[in-house]
Amino acid sequence: MPPIATTKAEMTEQKLLSCAKSEFLEKGFLGASMRSIAQKASMTTGAIYRYFPDKNALFEAVVKPTADEISAYFEEISSYQLQLLEYNETVLEYESMQKGMLQIVDFIYDRFDIFDLLINGSNGSNKEHYIDSLMELDLSSTQAYIHKLSQLNILQHSPPAHLLSILVKQSYRQVLEIVVSRMNREEAFEYMQLLIPFLYAGWTRLLETQNNSNKAKEEKQ
């Protein structure tokens, strides 16, 4: 939620940002027009430039507060996964993974308009590679997680780094498909009920640990 405006200039800027957000959501960064934004905000085009030097700066102002929040959220998730290993706990329990991913879906839909802008409407802007940076964060986290599992001698085998990169990014894209396809929240949860067991089975097999292997042997006996 933006801060409450206390001066006429702040109120004007908030109105401008609201109108810009509407324009970017409708047309994307490339299709958005500063003239159209000015008309929506009941301003002259020249007046906009007293607040923001160009369209890129305006787009940045619209998405940055939430984009920073998103980055912090996913960094926190990454840190939590590694902290679990300090207590010799893995995160590959189905219930834990399901709960975590559904929480991510809720997080996305509480900020869906900005996710939509960052994923579907940012081409041509300085934020067009923002989601790629989140994928790189997740990849680094996964690599650190695998390294820690190896240090604890509980990982059966480690996937090659170049293939791991592909798998992590594809998994990320599968989750973000809910935004790419602009699913409503109900559709997204229905989709995730199919995707979560699919991803769980793949990652469990890929990151098979000694504990999981022993459990599987016991179940067969």
Side-chain angles (χ1 to χ4, degrees):
M1 179 180 295
I4 298 174
T6 57
T7 67
K8 183 178 179 180
E10 289 173 344
M11 291 174 66
T12 300
E13 183 175 344
Q14 285 194 8
K15 182 180 180 180
L16 174 56
L17 289 173
S18 177
C19 293
K21 180 180 176 181
S22 175
E23 175 82 358
F24 288 133
L25 282 169
E26 180 184 352
K27 301 175 183 177
F29 176 80
L30 289 176
S33 160
M34 294 291 272
R35 178 176 296 179
S36 177
I37 293 170
Q39 289 174 346
K40 289 180 179 179
S42 301
M43 300 172 64
T44 65
T45 305
I48 292 181
Y49 292 108
R50 291 203 293 268
Y51 290 88
F52 302 99
D54 53 36
K55 188 167 69 169
N56 237 317
L58 182 53
F59 187 83
E60 175 82 13
V62 169
V63 302
K64 187 178 186 303
T66 303
D68 288 346
E69 183 186 10
I70 293 168
S71 296
Y73 178 75
F74 283 99
E75 286 174 4
E76 183 179 345
I77 291 175
S78 299
S79 298
Y80 175 71
Q81 291 174 344
L82 291 175
Q83 287 171 6
L84 285 178
L85 289 180
E86 298 297 329
Y87 300 97
N88 292 325
E89 296 181 30
T90 66
V91 293
L92 288 178
E93 297 295 333
Y94 181 78
E95 291 77 11
S96 175
M97 179 179 180
Q98 182 183 48
K99 179 181 178 181
M101 292 193 72
L102 292 180
Q103 286 175 342
I104 289 173
V105 173
D106 275 329
F107 180 86
I108 290 172
Y109 277 85
D110 288 343
R111 301 153 183 82
F112 191 86
D113 51 357
I114 300 300
F115 271 96
D116 189 15
L117 283 177
L118 290 169
I119 293 173
N120 298 319
S122 62
N123 284 348
S125 76
N126 291 339
K127 288 292 188 182
E128 67 177 315
H129 299 299
Y130 173 80
I131 296 301
D132 293 332
S133 70
L134 290 186
M135 290 184 188
E136 290 299 328
L137 172 66
D138 194 48
L139 175 59
S140 297
S141 171
T142 303
Q143 290 171 331
Y145 183 78
I146 289 174
H147 179 68
K148 189 66 176 179
L149 286 175
S150 298
Q151 285 184 323
L152 296 172
N153 295 318
I154 58 175
L155 186 67
Q156 290 282 79
H157 51 79
S158 178
H162 67 292
L163 298 180
L164 179 66
S165 174
I166 294 172
L167 291 170
V168 167
K169 292 176 182 179
Q170 287 302 320
S171 295
Y172 221 90
R173 291 187 180 100
Q174 287 175 310
V175 173
L176 293 179
E177 185 61 36
I178 61 178
V179 181
V180 174
S181 296
R182 295 190 171 100
M183 299 180 192
N184 61 42
R185 192 184 291 249
E186 183 179 350
E187 291 170 335
F189 275 99
E190 182 179 359
Y191 169 67
M192 293 303 290
Q193 294 302 326
L194 298 175
L195 181 63
I196 292 171
F198 176 79
L199 292 177
Y200 177 78
W203 283 105
T204 300
R205 180 66 183 89
L206 186 67
L207 302 180
E208 188 172 18
T209 65
Q210 294 287 355
N211 290 338
N212 287 337
S213 180
N214 291 336
K215 287 180 182 179
K217 289 177 181 178
E218 290 173 0
E219 289 173 358
K220 288 181 179 180
Q221 292 176 351

